[in-house]
Amino acid sequence: MLAGLIFATEDADDRVGVLAATLPFGGLTLIEFQARLLVAAGATHIILVVARMTPELLGAISRIGRRGVSVDAVRSAGEVLEKLHPLARVLVVADGVVTTSEVVQAIAAAPHDTLLVTDQMDSHYERVGANVAWAGLALLDCKRIAEVAALPRDYDFQSTLLRVAAQAAADQVRLDAHMAPGHTIERSTQALAARGNGTVAALVARPARWAERYLLSPLIRLILPPLMTRGVGTITVLAGGIAVALGAWLTIFIGHPAVGMALTYLAVGVTGVAAALAWVRDEGSVARIAEHLTPAIVAGAALLVGYGADRPAGLILATTLIIIAALLERVAGSAHARRLWASPVAYPLLMLPLLALGQPLFALGLAALYAVVTLAVAIEGFLEKP
């Protein structure tokens, strides 16, 4: 069992009376970002060590709890010990740590007590040796918390826990060159704002299927930071995607299927951005609506292409494509998707060249064939499982 222990006791460097952990960070607060990394690494219980409760911290705790983990706020090592499972491994995050999921998961996978260390001697880093400082992450056994709880309560919890771990000869993993650019300890409002949007955008999942992975995800990572910087609303972006989709459908209906399909792909991109923005902001219902809009937009475009082609062949092909694609999405939700599999994002791209050549039936037929082949491969994968 893995538990996360996040320290939120220090004030911001440039905002008196404001906890650094509650400073804005890429549309979230810093402590929410840290909790997301812990949950992604497998933590099922998050414990926050706080100096005081503030309205911002209470809101962050509520939002963290929506991610399906239990959350507790405590003030001392003894209270942490009361909340922890006796067999838990504890992933410790120092106050103000900004890092990446790769670094957190590497520490979480360590077999023994481990400290992440660095040669950098920043004022926020605590030394654990003559030329080595703690980089703010550690994986420790629950008994280290018990050892700190046995000491006088007026000792600084974070520093004392570090000393106890170091004295117990915890393994030291050095922060290497490729990890260092994304890792720091920061308590400045401006510095966190500068780092936050790009760092959070990098958390957007990299889907397995090629169209989403290589075309849609890079677009989302490019557009998310400026949207978050300007505070653009998720509903606004979603409404923009719907408006573009309606324009695409109208364009196809009046006899310009190639232009309409290009607009369809643009609409899919905008709704994908809206889904990612909603995910970042923990707007679950909006994220689900945006995710379901993508196949609906593509299905509507395919039906209109079929309606404008030779009837009834065009409508039959379009309906066949939609049914097979829906079955494939149902299967793909329960299977390990592969890189070359078809997807709602891929169909407009596949049809666009043939529509530009004035061949709507061939465009629909090719997309349907792609979906059929992918569905067959997915079913074979199920049959091969023991």
Side-chain angles (χ1 to χ4, degrees), residues 303-314:
L303 278 174
L304 287 168
V305 168
Y307 180 81
D310 295 334
R311 291 188 293 270

Side-chain angles (χ1 to χ4, degrees), residues 210-211 215 258 261-262 264-265 298 321 340-357 359-374:
W210 66 272
L215 299 176
M261 195 57 68
T264 297
Y265 183 70
V298 176
L321 168 61
L340 296 178
W341 280 17
S343 69
V345 179
Y347 302 130
L349 296 172
L350 201 65
M351 290 189 284
L352 185 57
L354 288 170
L355 290 174
L357 293 174
Q359 300 293 331
L361 291 180
F362 282 106
L364 291 168
L366 182 61
L369 179 62
Y370 187 24
V372 167
V373 171
T374 305

Side-chain angles (χ1 to χ4, degrees), residues 252-303:
I252 295 172
F253 182 75
I254 63 177
H256 302 285
V259 177
M261 195 57 68
L263 288 173
T264 297
Y265 183 70
L266 178 60
V268 167
V270 176
T271 55
V273 171
L277 197 59
W279 177 84
V280 165
R281 293 170 173 169
D282 278 328
E283 298 170 348
S285 59
V286 179
R288 286 188 291 272
I289 292 171
E291 288 169 357
H292 289 137
L293 266 179
T294 294
I297 290 170
V298 176
L303 278 174

Side-chain angles (χ1 to χ4, degrees), residues 97-98 118-127 133-136 162 175 180 183-185 187:
V97 166
V98 176
T118 179
D119 297 330
Q120 185 177 346
M121 292 301 168
D122 186 274
S123 59
H124 290 140
Y125 290 120
E126 296 190 59
R127 293 196 177 193
W134 183 43
L162 174 60
L175 188 68
H183 185 95
T184 188
I185 296 179
R187 300 188 187 116

